[in-house]
Every structure is written in C-alpha cells, then in structure tokens.
C-alpha cells in the first residue's frame, strides 16, 4: 500500500483538494493522484460550521474562520500546503431544470462535428435567467439525431437535425458570491464551484448503479440533497431545506434539553424506528437551567425522531416522483451524509420509498482510509474526485469571474461533453 508520507515527496505530485462548506461542519479533504492514477487521501480536516445557515453564508467573518480552521487541520495531517480548492455549493436557493436545444447540422456532408455539438449545447442552455440567478452546471444527458434518441456521442453520425437534452443547475448569485468571498478572504482560491450532490456521487455511487437508475440522497445537517441517475447520466437534482439538525432541534424541544445534549442523545440513543421491546431501556437527560435530570425511554425518543425523518424522506420521495426517472430506480436509493448515520435511517427510508435503500460512504482505498470513509466525508472526497475528473475545465461560475466568459463557457461545455462521451 502507498504511504502518503512517501507519496507527496515525489517531485511530480498532483494534489487535489475539496472544501465542503456544510451547514454542520466544514470538511476539507486533500488527495493525491499516484503515477498509476490511484487516489490517496493525504489529509482531512473538519471544523464546526459557523456563520452559515442551510448552506448560505450569514456571517462572513465566522465562515472565514471556520474555513481556515478546517483547511489548516487538513494541511497539517497532509503535510502539504494547498491553495486551490474545489468547493461545494448547496442550499435551497439551488434550482435545476432539464432543457433541450435544437440546431440544423452544418458539418460537411451533414456529418455532425464538434462545432455542431457546441452549438446545440449552447442552444440548450439558452434559458431565461433572472439577473439574481446564475448557471452552475450544464450537464448533457443525451443527443437526438433526426428523432433517433439515446445517443451519447453524435460526432461522426449523419443527420439533418441535432437535438441535445441537458440538465441545468442554477444558484442565487449572492449565495455563490458569498461562498467565493469567504474562501478568498480566508486566503484560498476556488478552482471550481460544484453542486454538492453532484460531487458526492463521484465518491459513493458505482457505474452499475448509475446505469440501472439510482437516487443519491445526501442527508446533511441543514439540507437534504438529491441527485437522480439513469443510464449512466444525471437526470435530476434537488435540494430540500431540512436536514438532521431539525431532528436535533426537535429532540432539544421535546426533551427540554440544550442543543449539545440533544445532539449527543441523537447520535448515541436515537433511532428512526421503535426499539424492540428488549432494547427499550432508558437514559438520563440533563435539564435546562439547573433543573433535575430526567429518565427518558428510547420509545419516547423515537416518537420525536421518527416523524421528522418521515417528513424529510416524504419530501425527498415527492421530489423523486416528480421526475419521470423516479420510476426507474433499478438500483434503489443510496443514503449518505452524516444524517444517514442515524440508526435505522435506511430501514425507515425503505418503508417510505418502497425500494431498496443502503447507506453509502466514500470508497477510499489508500491513505487516511478510516477518517475519509465516513458518509460525513462523501461530499469532501467527491469534490476531490470531481477536481480530478474535471481538471482542465474552467467551470462556468468561476470562469465567468475571470472574464472571457464565453470562450471559457464553450471550453467548459466541450470538456463536459467529452467527459460524457467517454463515460
Ligand atoms: N453517528 C451519528 N448518528 C446520527 N447522526 C449523526 C451522526 N454523525 C453525524 N450525524 C448528523 O449528521 C449531520 C451532519 O451531517 P453532514 O456532516 O453530512 O452535514 P453538512 O454537510 O455539514 O450539512 P449540509 O450538507 O446540510 O450542508 C448532523 O446533524 C449530525 O447530527
Ligand atoms: Mg453536506
């Protein structure tokens, strides 16, 4: 096995870093690609997420400090300094739609070439965006040549009419700006801004699942992010503004105990399903403001947790059903994010979704395997993998800031399309 300490001493090191600005924690993952293109996790860092609410920056100074703390910790474990980060974005300001573009084939002898593909992708992303929203991703799904659908790579095919179906993700300009500003104020650079569930899927899903049809549900602290895949490509994304912190708040209110205690009780005794009678023991709950501690049964705790988890899963089920691909989940549902660690989360989800559900964590094979293999780090590891896959992309949002938007936009589309064709 590779030893991370040897790896980064190699002269031609290729370091990639992901910065997951979550609502509960800021997670940083630093990885390195070996000569045979294997990812080794060199460092991870985590700090409580201060100054953010539901993925949106509400206090810049606190957000900057939290980011810096997590980055410092990851750099210390990795023994390398990192400047550029692939950064995740989520929050209920995220919207996504599927769009379609159509062009006449202009290539020689009506043979489709790269410029036809560029034009049709440009036509597909030409949606009316209000000034307060901006494009984050334009992801090709399939091409249609003279009504023949399901084509992944149309280049070289002859036809008159070329259509493209794409999945478009947009975000609020102010939210994206605040994330860029926080990272930059902490002294780092954002190389790409990536929708979190798009990043997470790189760490958690395998090709077979994506081909058969799968919904990835990232149950975080403040948001629940959904990404739907079918026939190997992303079909839909959605963000719900509820997460596992809502469960903690319910426990704090229901048991009249401070948030920190409620969080501990959730992780230690919490479950989404009523305990078997033999497990129905009790635990002590400290009171607020000098009140006496009380004895509480697990059954009572479950009666607080279960309705909130049911609500979150039901909202996710509604989002999934809205998509035509909701009926095509051959590989079921993969739950990830810290909220997926709650006992019996997959079992309750199975009852609500009516399809097989499993908890997914990053497939980390080398380096800090134990630290990075938790569902809490799915987005962080996914951001590193996204950075590797899209190393040469100038992502839309960041490219736009540097000027030369249109040129880089086309480069970006082309590179996304090339990626898609290879997949
Ligand atoms: N062992 C555990 N059991 C139950 N819940 C857990 C456990 N570990 C973490 N959690 C919960 O997971 C949540 C944090 O998950 P995660 O780190 O994925 O969120 P985040 O990425 O910060 O948030 P978001 O994705 O919403 O921005 C917290 O609410 C925490 O209570
Ligand atoms: Mg998260």
């Amino acid at each position: 096995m590779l030893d991370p300490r040897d790896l980064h001493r190699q002269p031609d090191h290729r370091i990639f870093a992901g910065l997951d600005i979550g609502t509960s924690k800021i997670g940083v993952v630093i990885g390195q690609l070996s000569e045979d293109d294997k990812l080794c996790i060199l460092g991870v860092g985590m700090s409580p997420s201060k100054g953010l609410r539901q993925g949106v920056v509400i206090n810049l100074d606190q957000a900057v400090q939290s980011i810096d703390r997590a980055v410092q910790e990851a750099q210390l474990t990795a023994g390398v300094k990192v400047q550029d980060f692939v950064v995740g974005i989520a929050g209920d300001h995220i919207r996504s739609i599927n769009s379609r573009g159509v062009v006449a084939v202009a290539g020689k002898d009506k043979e489709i070439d790269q410029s036809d593909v560029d034009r049709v992708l440009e036509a597909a992303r030409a949606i009316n965006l209000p000034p307060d929203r901006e494009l984050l991703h334009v992801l090709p799904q399939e091409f249609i040549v003279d009504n023949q659908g399901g084509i992944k790579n149309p280049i070289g095919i002859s036809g008159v009419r070329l259509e493209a179906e794409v999945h478009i993700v947009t975000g609020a300009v102010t939210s994206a700006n605040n994330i860029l500003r926080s990272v930059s104020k902490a002294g780092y650079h954002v190389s790409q801004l990536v929708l979190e569930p798009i990043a997470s899927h790189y760490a958690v899903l395998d090709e077979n699942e994506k081909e058969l049809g799968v919904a990835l549900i990232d149950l975080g602290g403040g948001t629940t992010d959904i990404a739907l895949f079918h026939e190997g490509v992303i079909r839909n994304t959605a963000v719900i503004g509820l997460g596992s912190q809502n469960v903690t708040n319910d426990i704090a209110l229901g048991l009249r105990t401070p948030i920190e205690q409620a969080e501990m009780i959730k992780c230690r005794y919490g479950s989404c399903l009523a305990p078997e009678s033999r497990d129905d023991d009790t635990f002590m709950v400290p009171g607020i403001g000098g009140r006496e501690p009380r004895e509480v049964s697990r059954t009572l705790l479950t009666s607080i947790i279960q309705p909130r988890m049911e609500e979150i899963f039901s909202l996710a089920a509604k989002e999934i059903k809205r998509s035509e691909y909701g009926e095509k989940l051959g590989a079921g549902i993969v739950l990830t994010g810290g909220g997926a660690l709650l006992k019996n989360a997959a079992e309750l989800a199975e009852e609500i979704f009516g399809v097989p559900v499993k908890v997914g964590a990053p497939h980390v094979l080398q380096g800090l395997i134990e630290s990075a293999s938790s569902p809490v780090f799915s987005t962080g590891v996914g951001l590193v993998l996204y950075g590797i896959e899209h190393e040469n992309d100038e992502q839309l949002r960041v490219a736009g800031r540097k000027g030369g938007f249109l040129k880089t936009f086309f480069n970006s589309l082309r590179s996304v399309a090339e990626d898609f064709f290879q997949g």
Side-chain angles (χ1 to χ4, degrees):
M1 198 171 88
L2 278 170
D3 182 339
R5 282 164 303 185
D6 294 336
L7 233 175
H8 64 261
R9 287 193 196 109
Q10 290 172 8
D12 185 25
H13 57 247
R14 295 168 68 202
I15 305 275
F16 295 85
L19 171 57
D20 170 16
I21 304 182
T23 43
S24 304
K25 53 103 210 337
I26 309 280
V28 173
V29 177
I30 301 176
Q32 180 165 43
L33 262 194
S34 63
E35 271 169 19
D36 55 349
D37 281 347
K38 297 250 162 58
L39 176 65
C40 176
I41 303 298
L42 300 181
V44 294
M46 198 152 89
S47 74
S49 183
K50 301 248 168 72
L52 287 128
R53 187 175 299 147
Q54 295 192 333
V56 173
V57 179
I58 52 165
N59 181 323
L60 192 69
D61 287 339
Q62 283 184 348
V64 169
Q65 274 178 23
S66 300
I67 291 169
D68 196 37
R69 203 165 302 142
V71 172
Q72 296 285 352
E73 187 183 318
Q75 294 191 141
L76 207 66
T77 28
V80 287
K81 290 246 178 246
V82 182
Q83 210 49 49
D84 291 334
F85 289 86
V86 181
V87 178
I89 185 167
D92 54 9
H93 62 99
I94 298 289
R95 300 280 177 278
S96 67
I97 52 160
N98 288 328
S99 171
R100 181 182 273 233
V102 188
V103 293
V105 176
K108 199 168 144 260
D109 302 327
K110 296 287 169 214
E111 197 177 290
I112 296 165
D113 63 17
Q114 184 64 54
S115 70
D116 294 311
V117 172
D118 288 345
R119 279 190 307 116
V120 78
L121 291 175
E122 172 64 1
R125 52 87 49 176
I127 53 167
N128 270 337
L129 266 188
D132 60 342
R133 301 198 69 75
E134 61 183 306
L135 278 177
L136 292 170
H137 294 280
V138 180
L139 305 162
Q141 294 171 324
E142 68 169 308
F143 293 89
I144 301 147
V145 180
D146 295 345
N147 296 323
Q148 173 64 52
I151 298 170
K152 287 204 169 180
N153 181 5
I155 291 176
I157 296 177
S158 292
V160 180
R161 176 188 160 97
L162 174 65
E163 292 170 68
E165 284 187 357
V166 297
H167 183 65
I168 293 178
V169 180
T170 69
V173 173
T174 46
S175 302
N177 270 344
N178 282 336
I179 285 184
L180 292 177
R181 272 182 51 210
S182 313
V183 178
S184 141
K185 227 179 145 197
Y188 308 104
H189 173 248
V190 179
S191 58
Q192 320 221 26
L193 202 53
V194 182
L195 183 67
E196 287 175 8
I198 291 180
S200 309
H201 98 264
Y202 281 96
V204 172
L205 299 182
D206 70 24
E207 293 307 318
N208 290 331
E209 288 172 321
K210 285 192 276 176
E211 197 59 42
L212 275 171
V214 68
L216 177 69
I217 301 182
D218 183 336
L219 190 48
T223 63
T224 298
D225 311 332
I226 305 166
L228 271 180
F229 296 82
H230 188 255
E231 290 178 346
V233 289
I234 193 151
R235 300 294 180 173
N236 252 307
T237 48
V239 177
I240 297 168
L242 287 178
S244 189
Q245 269 170 12
N246 295 87
V247 177
T248 305
N249 292 344
D250 293 347
I251 296 171
L253 280 175
L255 300 183
R256 293 188 299 281
T257 194
I259 289 284
E260 299 74 42
Q261 289 298 328
E263 175 70 20
M264 186 277 289
I265 289 169
K266 177 180 78 174
C267 295
R268 190 177 293 174
Y269 307 109
S271 170
C272 296
L273 294 176
E276 303 282 318
S277 53
R278 64 190 151 78
D279 288 340
D280 193 11
D281 50 350
T282 55
F283 54 93
M284 295 308 286
V285 179
I288 293 180
R291 286 178 183 82
E292 287 292 297
R294 283 168 307 125
E295 201 174 357
V296 168
S297 73
R298 286 188 195 238
T299 307
L300 175 64
L301 179 61
T302 307
S303 71
I304 297 172
I305 294 175
Q306 194 173 353
R308 180 64 86 173
M309 291 298 283
E310 278 174 357
E311 180 190 13
I312 295 174
F313 288 142
S314 302
L315 288 171
K318 225 168 159 183
E319 283 294 338
I320 291 170
K321 280 210 183 90
R322 272 184 9 188
S323 158
E324 58 177 304
Y325 295 96
E327 296 294 315
K328 298 174 181 168
L329 302 180
I333 284 170
V334 177
L335 271 187
T336 195
L341 290 169
L342 188 56
K343 197 170 162 205
N344 291 326
E347 286 75 7
L348 177 67
E350 227 158 62
E351 283 179 13
I352 290 174
F353 292 102
V355 294
V357 179
K358 71 165 198 183
V359 173
H363 310 298
V364 176
L365 299 175
Q366 291 182 338
L368 302 178
I369 297 171
E370 266 183 38
S371 323
S373 293
S374 159
V376 167
F377 276 112
S378 296
T379 305
V381 173
L383 288 165
V384 170
L385 292 165
Y386 186 98
I388 293 167
E389 284 272 320
H390 299 260
E391 194 181 355
N392 300 317
D393 285 16
E394 284 236 46
Q395 194 256 347
L396 304 182
R397 178 61 177 80
V398 180
R401 293 204 116 207
K402 287 183 191 156
F405 179 84
L406 269 184
K407 182 165 174 285
T408 45
F409 177 76
F410 272 113
N411 285 343
S412 170
L413 277 187
R414 185 171 298 184
S415 134
V416 170
E418 277 166 7
D419 223 50
F420 171 75
F421 297 154
Q422 282 156 17

